[in-house]
Amino acid sequence: MSGRKSADLGGMAEGLRAAVHDYVKHVNQAEIELKADGLTGIVSDCDYLARTGRRLSRLEERDRLRGAYPERHESRARLLHIGATERDGEVPVRLELHFKRTLAQRGAGYAEERLETERLWLAEANGRWQIARIEPEIAERRSGASGDPETEDVPQENGRFQPPQAVKSVSVPYLNDDLLPYFNQHRPSIPYRRDLAAAYADRWWQQPNPAYENMQVNCTNYVSQCLFAGHAPMNYTGKRASGWWYKGRSGGQELWSYSWAVADALQRYLSAARAGGLRATPVDAPWQLKLGDVICYDWEGDGRYGHNTIVTAFDREGMPLVNANTVSSRHRYWDYRDSYAWTPRTRYRFFHIADLF
C-alpha cells in the first residue's frame, strides 16, 4: 500500500513539474513576443492574464518609443517547493524565475535582468495538471499587506512603528571600519565613489550580502548598502527615527534607522537640507542623474514612496538603468513600466547624491 502511495505521489510530482516546465516555456515566449496570448491555453487565471497582457503592452510601447529592440530573451526557473494538496484539490508551488532580456539600441546592446518569485496553484483535470492561479509572492508593491514596512508611514520619534523584519540575523553588527573616523563629523572631504556604489549594486543584486540583515522587503536596505559602499558616511544617532545609520542586530534588537530600511523614510531623508553627511539634490528629470544616484517610486501618486532603486548604468539615449532588490533587478529601465506595481498614477523623485560629504 505504501509503495502504491509513493508511486502516486511520485507521479503527481512529475506531472506538476511537467506543467511548470510548460508554463515557463510559454512565459518566455510571451516575453519575446510581448503578448500574453500563448498563456491562455495553460493558465485559467483571468486576472493574471489581464495583468500580464497590460504589462507586456506597456513594455512593447516603451521599447518602440525608446528605439530599443529585443534581441534575445532567456527564462530560467527553479522549483522552490511543492506544497500539500489543499481542500479544493489545488497544489501550491513556489517558483523562482530568472529573466534576462537583451536589447539593441542605436547599434549597441545591453542586458537587463530580474528575479521574481511566484506562487502557483495547480489543479488536475482529465489527468492533466493546469495552472488555476498565479500570484507574485514578493513584488515591488505588496497590495493590501498589513504592516508592510515599505508602505507604512514612518512615525515621529515618539511614535510607534513595526520596523522591517529581517529574514535572518548576523551575529556581529556590520560597520565599515575605514569610515568610522568620519561618523558624525560631516567633514566635506569624503568624495562619493559612484563607481564603488554601482559595483556593489552589481555584485549583490541577486543575493544578499551576509554582512547585513536581509529583510523581507529589502529594496531600501539594499540601496542604503550601495550608498555606504560608495563612502556615504552614516549619521549615527542611535535613534530609529533620526539619522541614517546601521549597526546590525544585537541581542534580538534591531539597530538601524528607519531611513536605512524604509522606502518613504529614505526619500524624506534625502529631501531634507543638511550641512553634511549623506545628502542629495532633487532634480527634475531622469537624464539629469549620474551613476550612484537614487530614484524613489510613489505607485499611487499619494505622496507615499514605496520603492527605491539606484542608478548603475545608462542606455544609448543617456537614460538611467537601475538595480533594485525585493524583486531583484539589474540594469532595468528606470521607469518600471514593466512592473506589476506600476500604475498610471505613479510618480517619481530623482535624487542626485552629493559629490562630496
Side-chain angles (χ1 to χ4, degrees):
M1 184 71 176
S2 62
R4 180 183 299 175
K5 186 175 182 180
S6 297
D8 291 343
L9 290 174
M12 184 182 78
E14 184 179 344
L16 289 169
R17 288 190 176 91
V20 170
H21 181 271
D22 194 37
Y23 165 69
V24 174
K25 181 178 69 175
H26 281 79
V27 165
N28 189 63
Q29 191 64 32
E31 294 277 344
I32 292 172
E33 298 174 351
L34 297 180
K35 296 184 183 302
D37 299 349
L39 291 165
T40 56
I42 61 169
V43 178
S44 57
D45 185 340
C46 294
D47 289 339
Y48 163 81
L49 293 171
R51 288 196 312 268
T52 300
R54 289 193 298 268
R55 184 182 66 82
L56 293 175
S57 178
R58 293 196 305 266
L59 190 54
E60 181 180 34
E61 179 185 27
R62 187 188 71 185
D63 287 349
R64 177 173 51 81
L65 293 175
R66 295 174 56 211
Y69 302 98
E71 288 191 322
R72 185 178 180 185
H73 194 283
E74 303 172 50
S75 299
R76 298 197 301 272
R78 186 161 63 102
L79 189 57
L80 301 177
H81 180 68
I82 299 176
T85 304
E86 298 180 350
R87 290 182 180 179
D88 55 6
E90 293 180 349
V91 178
V93 169
R94 289 183 66 231
L95 182 69
E96 181 186 79
L97 291 161
H98 183 172
F99 298 110
K100 184 174 182 179
R101 190 167 178 258
T102 304
L103 297 102
Q105 186 185 39
R106 291 179 52 190
Y110 73 92
E112 59 182 22
E113 299 179 74
R114 72 184 191 275
L115 289 176
E116 294 187 355
T117 303
E118 295 180 338
R119 187 176 291 270
L120 285 62
W121 282 264
L122 290 89
E124 190 176 18
N126 300 320
R128 183 168 173 241
W129 289 95
Q130 291 187 322
I131 299 171
R133 288 184 291 138
I134 301 176
E135 292 180 5
E137 189 171 90
I138 297 177
E140 289 90 355
R141 178 183 61 180
R142 295 156 68 179
S143 300
S146 176
D148 181 353
E150 294 290 28
T151 57
E152 292 288 342
D153 287 326
V154 179
Q156 301 301 315
E157 191 168 327
N158 61 350
R160 300 179 65 186
F161 178 79
Q162 179 63 39
Q165 297 298 306
V167 175
K168 61 179 181 178
S169 299
V170 291
S171 57
V172 180
Y174 177 80
L175 290 175
N176 186 335
D177 294 332
D178 294 337
L179 297 182
L180 280 173
Y182 299 111
F183 283 10
N184 296 324
Q185 295 182 14
H186 305 322
R187 300 187 312 182
S189 59
I190 308 172
Y192 181 38
R193 290 290 305 274
R194 300 178 181 278
D195 58 333
L196 296 183
Y200 182 95
D202 280 346
R203 169 65 180 86
W204 297 106
W205 76 274
Q206 64 176 327
Q207 60 182 343
N209 182 344
Y212 290 94
E213 298 282 347
N214 180 32
M215 300 177 187
Q216 291 176 344
V217 181
N218 202 55
C219 72
T220 305
N221 177 37
Y222 168 76
V223 168
S224 289
Q225 291 174 35
C226 297
L227 295 171
F228 188 53
H231 293 179
M234 293 186 195
N235 177 14
Y236 179 73
T237 65
K239 300 177 181 178
R240 304 297 301 278
S242 65
W244 177 75
W245 56 274
Y246 178 95
K247 285 186 67 178
R249 185 191 292 268
S250 178
Q253 185 178 5
E254 296 170 338
L255 303 175
W256 55 79
S257 64
Y258 295 129
S259 59
W260 183 276
V262 180
D264 196 57
L266 178 60
Q267 183 272 143
R268 295 185 197 185
Y269 190 82
L270 295 177
S271 297
R274 57 179 54 83
L278 172 62
R279 60 193 189 280
T281 302
V283 296
D284 296 327
W287 55 82
Q288 296 174 283
L289 297 174
K290 295 183 179 180
L291 206 67
D293 285 342
V294 173
I295 303 177
C296 305
Y297 300 75
D298 170 8
W299 303 121
E300 294 297 333
D302 59 3
R304 294 200 307 172
Y305 289 79
H307 186 55
N308 294 317
T309 66
I310 186 166
V311 177
T312 52
F314 296 89
D315 71 5
R316 294 288 285 181
E317 299 291 335
M319 299 298 282
L321 307 175
V322 298
N323 283 28
N325 259 195
T326 302
V327 172
S328 299
S329 304
R330 177 180 179 271
H331 296 186
R332 191 171 179 176
Y333 193 70
W334 70 271
D335 69 2
Y336 263 62
R337 289 174 64 89
D338 62 342
S339 168
Y340 290 124
W342 187 90
T343 75
R345 298 176 297 279
T346 297
R347 298 293 180 268
Y348 310 91
R349 293 211 74 190
F350 308 108
F351 287 103
H352 174 63
I353 304 300
D355 292 318
L356 290 174
F357 302 117

